[in-house]
Amino acid sequence: HSHDHHDHHEHHSHDRHAGHGHQNHVHRNLNDIEKIIDGSNLSDSIKERAKGIFNHIAKAESKIHGKSLDEVHFHEVGAIDSIVDILGVCILLEDMDIERIISSPLHIGGGFVECAHGKFPVPAPATLEIIREAKIPVYDTGIKTELVTPTGAAIVAEIVDEFSDLSGCVIDSIGYGAGSKDIEIPNVLRLMVVKKN
């Protein structure tokens, strides 16, 4: 249950990639990314879920740019580190043997973000399209920074079974993942393993 869903994945030109030698200039299309995923030794269910996440991003970019899926080129989001991020989520979900994923609405943030094509309002166009297409509920508290990226929105769109609160749940364990951006609220993604009564 992803309360406090902040900074799920860094987006395009943010600090996470600066000075770490990542191949941010690499452009790949959906077919290239699917070949990388299919060429791995991971289970078929992990591969399908990961490809589903990338498909959400490709469909959003396709609509925004008026191009076919084959013509969509991923910029930084197609870099190896993003493939690893997405596969990591899919591997961990399978390893944890989770039956159902429930999420709170996503805290989207505001302001502007620098994308590959210039400055855009937050949520970035691809993020907003994924949220719209997947009917993900959102909220905003006026924080002027990007709190959900296209990658984060695509992960939620692919893996979440329902959006609701914790009513009727017994919390079994809790984990936190901290983002690198300093903002006025805790910049963490909180995950709880719960049992429903």
Side-chain angles (χ1 to χ4, degrees):
H1 195 277
S2 56
H3 276 297
D4 300 330
H5 182 118
H6 307 308
D7 217 301
H8 193 108
H9 286 272
E10 296 294 332
H11 174 58
H12 296 301
S13 59
H14 284 184
D15 297 340
R16 182 178 128 200
H17 299 296
H20 289 86
H22 292 290
Q23 302 299 313
N24 290 340
H25 62 280
V26 174
H27 290 215
R28 294 185 171 90
N29 66 21
L30 186 61
N31 188 46
D32 295 331
I33 290 169
E34 289 181 343
K35 281 181 183 173
I36 292 169
I37 293 169
D38 284 333
S40 72
N41 293 325
L42 298 167
S43 73
D44 288 344
S45 60
I46 290 172
K47 290 177 184 178
E48 289 310 306
R49 185 175 255 172
K51 288 190 291 187
I53 292 169
F54 272 107
N55 204 272
H56 284 289
I57 300 168
K59 280 170 56 180
E61 294 287 354
S62 168
K63 180 163 186 180
I64 290 163
H65 296 293
K67 296 181 175 180
S68 71
L69 282 178
D70 293 337
E71 293 175 305
V72 170
H73 280 86
F74 292 86
H75 301 289
E76 289 84 349
V77 88
I80 292 296
D81 58 341
S82 289
I83 296 171
V84 171
D85 286 346
I86 288 170
L87 284 171
V89 169
C90 298
I91 291 165
L92 287 171
L93 285 172
E94 182 161 292
D95 188 56
M96 292 175 70
D97 195 26
I98 301 296
E99 288 179 21
R100 191 164 179 77
I101 298 173
I102 304 166
S103 176
S104 60
L106 299 187
H107 190 179
I108 53 174
F112 292 86
V113 66
E114 289 289 339
C115 295
H117 304 290
K119 186 176 276 193
F120 286 91
V122 170
T127 305
L128 202 55
E129 181 56 32
I130 293 165
I131 287 170
R132 184 201 67 78
E133 178 70 26
K135 297 180 174 44
I136 298 171
V138 299
Y139 70 99
D140 177 24
T141 60
I143 293 172
K144 299 298 183 196
T145 193
E146 183 179 45
L147 299 177
V148 180
T149 64
T151 305
I155 289 170
V156 170
E158 182 66 19
I159 71 171
V160 171
D161 297 301
E162 70 176 281
F163 293 90
S164 69
D165 59 25
L166 290 169
S167 300
C169 293
V170 175
I171 299 168
D172 185 62
S173 56
I174 308 164
Y176 295 90
S180 59
K181 192 186 298 182
D182 288 327
I183 54 178
E184 58 260 48
I185 59 173
N187 180 9
V188 295
L189 172 70
R190 182 167 60 187
L191 183 71
M192 290 173 263
V193 177
V194 303
K195 292 174 182 173
K196 274 205 163 185
N197 289 335

